[in-house]
Amino acid sequence: MPRARLSLIISIAMLAGAASYAAEKGDLTDLSLQDLMNVEIFSASKFLQKASEAPSSITIITAEEIQRYGYRNINDVLRALPGFYVTNDRNYSYIGERGFSRPGDYNIRLLILVDGHRLNDNVFDSVLAGDESPIDIDIISRIEVIRGPSSSLYGNSAFFGIINIVTKTGRDIRGGQASAEIMSNGRYKGRSTVGQKFESGLEYLFSGSVLDSRGHDTLYFPEYDSPGTNFGIAQKADAERNRTLYASLRFKDLSIHAGYGSRKKIIPTGAFETVFNTDRTFTIDERTFADLQYDKQIAASLGLTVRFTFDRYRYNGDYLYSNSDTDTPYSFLNRDYARGDSWGTEVQLTKRFLARHRFTAGLEYRNNFNQDQFNHDEAPYFSHLADTRGSALWAFYAQDEYKITKDLILNAGLRHDYYDSFGGTTNPRIGLIYGYSKRTNLKFLYGQAFRAPSTYEQYYRGGTSFDNPSLKPESIRTYEVVVERRFGENLRIGASFYDYGIKNLISQELAPITLLMVYQNASKVNAKGMELQISGRASSGLQTQFSYTLQQAKDTGTNSMLSGSPKHMAKAGLSIPCIRGKLFAGLEAFYMSSRRTIADNAVGGYTIANLTLFSQKLFRNFELSGGLYNIFGKRYADPGSEEHRQNGIDQDGRTFRLRALYHIPFSEGRR
């Protein structure tokens, strides 16, 4: 048996023993697994409800878990969850879920929210979740992961589910914080945060972070191994810079939060057939958002929420090309850029009636007043694309949670979205939640969702691509059964079984006459899968988790596995209190099977492991942590996209991170 797989089996055995140990112990000092199942979440139904009663398969990741396992960004968190996987092409990172991740799709089929505010932009419908995210991992209180179609409440992009990032508030900080990090490959990060809550109810938080990375000094790509391309070696072409700002202000029923993120990344892979081994090919992404929300409990059984939003997205890409077909070869710079701006509003009412019903209804309107795309060559100047446009949409949704009996809940919802570009789409969701016993829950779920074609897919043209304004929305139908079972207070087993089908999948195809690439509704997909998770906790503070995913996602036209889709995934985590309440060790192991590439080849499977040491209260007002990632230096690759010459793109070997945080407590405010 390969040594990597043997290491995984040993890790799983350790976790099984730890889970047995957890089941024999008493209550936790913090929360037992039973308590965690009863934690109230908002994002599944747009009102507070127990996670065990929500019409979805749900995972909640707390700030404590983020610290104990040394997660560096949102992608690190998702990578550890059942059914999720993340690929990276050394420019952007891409989230896969339930066997589906189109190479280079910019995360357009997953909706990511921050405190309920949509982060997907209005040009590409993309969302950034790695180091490029506008939300710093250290200001996250928890992450709510809602699997399955959620367009019945959230509309576009809630295709495979939603991820709601709940940020910390002033009461969580209660003073000032300053942190510094040193990482491999010349990476440095600093953050400062201040927050407080006053007796009057006024609460504020301000935070900013800076990340700079030299990146790998050299990267080797065998596809470029020739004298004209530096024998496949890219030198000093992997640098990155990221800046984030976040602010929130809360007073009684009113809350305001706003954020800004800017990230520049040099592209070392020669993507889009650009000049290889240069630092002049890069992308810059800027994301700005603001949200004003008013929540009022009008009566004991009636709640009102009014929200106003503003969003801005800026993308700039510089791509250096070489014209070697002339007698005097020369290089020229191509500039690709997009401008997206929008504002929106939402009004929602939640009403309890007849003792057993909780009814939610809302109206939403969004005005995309800028969805502009440009592309031109510099010196000599030549414009390939100058497309300026806008669009608008409105939606109505309604949902009823009906407690048929004490142990049986019916949750049914419906939303209609109308776009001025292609018309309307209606999407339902139905969930039957049955408390079979005090320790066992069953959920029977059905949902539909849609993804509207992005402005980029409809209207981008130039070079080797052509536009297609007549694109239709993609649609998905999912059937799912969820089983959750507790053994004692501190051992939990959960399993999800799903079957989904996608119609009108938007794919880039070669047009037969023009021989240009164009987005078309060309494919259908069917997938089946199972997600199994075991979690254990002990009163000593020991925590353990294990998950296994079996999935098969196929293109129904070719009957072949989707590119980038692994059939098997196994994940294990163990958090050990070395000095109770002060020092913890976190160990994780991940296994992923081989994946098909777009060139119909494959990248091999792999097993990697991470180790983190985290201290709190070991020193007064100080927190220290250190992480070693890919401990055994396993060499592995992620599939490349259509813009890459590479079949697979090598990922990082062994890396480290050292982090120190200093907390300055404030006296209680009296304003």
Side-chain angles (χ1 to χ4, degrees), residues 470-483:
S470 62
L471 282 173
K472 300 176 182 178
E474 300 174 345
S475 63
I476 184 172
R477 292 185 177 184
T478 299
Y479 301 86
E480 183 174 2
V481 177
V482 180
V483 183

Side-chain angles (χ1 to χ4, degrees), residues 286-575:
E286 293 185 7
R287 185 72 171 85
T288 306
F289 65 91
D291 194 296
L292 172 65
Q293 185 169 320
Y294 176 75
D295 290 290
K296 181 68 175 178
Q297 197 66 31
I298 300 174
S301 60
L302 181 62
L304 170 69
T305 298
V306 182
R307 164 175 270 161
F308 296 94
T309 62
F310 171 78
D311 291 272
R312 168 167 290 180
Y313 175 67
R314 298 291 184 265
Y315 155 76
N316 293 277
D318 276 15
Y319 299 90
L320 185 66
Y321 287 92
S322 175
N323 191 335
S324 57
D325 297 331
T326 63
D327 294 334
T328 56
Y330 66 94
S331 296
F332 66 95
L333 192 65
N334 176 265
R335 288 194 162 152
D336 193 51
Y337 46 108
R339 304 288 182 262
D341 298 283
S342 67
W343 69 269
T345 184
E346 182 179 4
V347 179
Q348 176 184 306
L349 287 170
T350 302
K351 169 71 175 175
R352 288 183 178 271
F353 64 96
L354 299 179
R356 294 185 177 184
H357 291 267
R358 181 156 49 173
F359 183 76
T360 301
L363 285 169
E364 184 178 344
Y365 173 78
R366 187 159 65 249
N367 187 311
N368 300 300
F369 56 93
N370 282 324
Q371 293 175 296
D372 305 337
Q373 301 179 87
F374 305 91
N375 184 287
H376 71 262
D377 295 336
E378 292 271 359
Y381 178 87
F382 182 82
S383 176
H384 298 279
L385 173 67
D387 184 78
T388 59
R389 65 181 61 251
S391 66
L393 68 96
W394 62 265
F396 167 78
Y397 59 87
Q399 177 180 270
D400 184 32
E401 181 190 73
Y402 173 35
K403 291 199 173 184
I404 303 172
T405 68
K406 180 182 178 181
D407 301 319
L408 187 63
I409 299 173
L410 176 65
N411 191 302
L414 186 74
R415 173 168 166 143
H416 180 79
D417 290 78
Y418 184 83
Y419 285 70
D420 58 13
S421 56
F422 62 81
T425 175
T426 303
N427 295 273
R429 180 178 68 174
I430 300 173
L432 190 65
I433 299 95
Y434 177 44
Y436 176 77
S437 68
K438 290 183 179 180
R439 298 183 182 275
T440 305
N441 280 353
L442 299 174
K443 299 181 180 182
F444 303 92
L445 310 172
Y446 169 79
Q448 293 181 200
F450 77 100
R451 185 186 74 82
S454 69
T455 303
Y456 169 73
E457 291 168 326
Q458 287 181 293
Y459 301 108
Y460 190 88
R461 61 186 180 274
T464 60
S465 64
F466 199 70
D467 59 348
N468 184 4
S470 62
L471 282 173
K472 300 176 182 178
E474 300 174 345
S475 63
I476 184 172
R477 292 185 177 184
T478 299
Y479 301 86
E480 183 174 2
V481 177
V482 180
V483 183
E484 299 170 338
R485 170 72 178 176
R486 287 185 293 107
F487 297 88
E489 295 298 317
N490 299 308
L491 179 63
R492 174 183 175 270
I493 297 178
S496 295
F497 306 88
Y498 61 84
D499 185 320
Y500 67 77
I502 301 175
K503 293 183 178 180
N504 291 326
L505 182 67
I506 298 174
S507 301
Q508 204 169 30
E509 306 284 338
L510 188 66
I513 298 176
T514 63
L515 297 182
L516 295 174
M517 299 301 293
V518 60
Y519 283 101
Q520 296 179 347
N521 296 107
S523 304
K524 294 182 180 180
V525 170
N526 181 258
K528 297 176 175 63
M530 177 198 74
E531 297 164 355
L532 172 68
Q533 183 173 27
I534 304 172
S535 303
R537 291 191 172 207
S539 58
S540 63
L542 182 144
Q543 299 180 15
T544 182
Q545 58 192 29
F546 165 71
S547 71
Y548 169 70
T549 300
L550 173 64
Q551 56 196 13
Q552 182 172 278
K554 288 187 173 183
D555 185 312
T556 58
T558 62
N559 199 34
S560 59
M561 288 283 289
L562 294 183
S563 60
S565 177
K567 188 173 183 178
H568 303 277
M569 292 188 292
K571 306 173 184 183
L574 180 65
S575 176

Side-chain angles (χ1 to χ4, degrees), residues 599-617:
D600 208 21
N601 297 313
V603 295
Y606 62 87
T607 301
I608 59 173
N610 304 328
L611 175 65
T612 298
L613 290 175
F614 167 70
S615 76
Q616 60 179 10
K617 304 176 184 177

Side-chain angles (χ1 to χ4, degrees), residues 133-134 209-212 240-245 260-263:
S133 171
S209 68
V210 175
L211 182 147
D212 282 297
E240 181 176 5
R241 183 183 65 202
N242 189 9
R243 307 287 187 264
T244 70
L245 293 171
Y260 168 80
S262 173
R263 182 254 199 174

Side-chain angles (χ1 to χ4, degrees), residues 41 43-44 56-58 144-148 150 160-163 429:
I41 64 169
S43 49
S56 302
S57 172
I58 292 173
E144 301 172 354
V145 179
I146 315 299
R147 296 175 179 83
S150 299
F160 285 103
I162 61 174
I163 297 169
R429 180 178 68 174

